[in-house]
Amino acid sequence: MASPQPPRPPGAGPAKLALRDQLTTARNRLALTEIGLFARALAGHLLAAPEVHRAATVAAYVSTGVEPGTTWLLEGLARSGTRVLLPVLLDDGDLDWAVHAGDAGLAPARYGLREPTGPRLGVDAVATADAVLVPGLAVSSSGLRLGRGGGSYDRALGRVPVGTFTCVVLYDGETDRPVPAETHDRSVTAAVTPSGLRRF
């Protein structure tokens, strides 16, 4: 018999929905030129960070829509010879992983995602990364990350060894937010915004 789950904090679900709506609305107001400029700044901060610069393997993702852009970051990692793992969304919402082989190795997927087409490495492959970069909508002052609500990255972060550099990629104004905590939530060790990198 499974052990009982700790009770969910009262109001956490509705509070998260309200915060997600607020942050998504703000992102939708960004101009494409701003998104591009911010993407370059984010890449600069991450590629200069020792945890990423020294990493042999980095788990990252392909940004979509108005998410903080990762194109410059992925190109920079490729130029430096870093092995990059990208997620593949499974039917149960979990994340498999495959090696990034450039834009030609990406294909359209569900929910507007672009995913690698190479061999799948399994859900535990994320545990082999020296640095893990994840999407999000906000982060608290203690490193509690707010995602989109599917739980995919909370599961992935749960497989990452303690002490690994885990960083959520955000815009300015999305840090130090009052993120309601639920039992399945996983914290990150850092957050990067166009203004810089912050470690928790």
Side-chain angles (χ1 to χ4, degrees):
M1 181 176 167
S3 59
Q5 293 294 318
R8 173 190 242 183
K16 278 188 173 181
L17 286 173
L19 184 55
R20 283 190 188 103
D21 286 346
Q22 175 191 347
L23 294 164
T24 301
T25 298
R27 283 186 174 187
N28 286 334
R29 293 188 180 123
L30 291 171
L32 288 178
T33 52
E34 289 180 295
I35 294 172
L37 289 171
F38 293 154
R40 289 186 188 205
L42 291 164
H45 297 313
L46 285 169
L47 294 171
E51 298 93 338
V52 176
H53 180 71
R54 295 193 304 252
T57 299
V58 172
Y61 64 98
V62 180
S63 58
T64 62
V66 295
E67 282 185 324
T70 59
T71 301
W72 289 93
L73 170 66
L74 294 175
E75 289 177 358
L77 290 170
R79 281 195 303 272
S80 68
T82 304
R83 179 176 180 255
V84 177
L85 302 181
L86 295 178
V88 178
L89 184 64
L90 300 174
D91 290 338
D92 65 357
D94 211 340
L95 297 176
D96 202 335
W97 299 85
V99 175
H100 181 38
D103 279 348
L106 297 174
R110 292 173 294 167
Y111 311 116
L113 299 174
R114 293 170 67 215
E115 296 179 341
T117 57
R120 307 281 178 89
L121 304 176
V123 296
D124 292 323
V126 68
T128 69
D130 304 298
V132 179
L133 312 177
V134 299
L137 288 170
V139 71
S140 73
S141 58
S142 64
L144 186 62
R145 169 189 160 274
L146 177 70
R148 293 195 173 275
S152 300
Y153 279 94
D154 287 315
R155 282 193 255 183
L157 287 169
R159 299 182 178 106
V160 175
V162 173
T164 301
F165 178 75
T166 56
C167 182
V168 60
V169 183
L170 300 169
Y171 291 116
D172 294 322
E174 296 177 345
T175 60
D176 294 322
R177 302 304 292 254
V179 176
E182 295 185 84
T183 54
H184 63 270
D185 290 333
R186 301 286 176 169
S187 294
V188 291
T189 65
V192 65
T193 70
S195 292
L197 178 67
R198 174 180 176 183
R199 295 169 179 84
F200 299 110

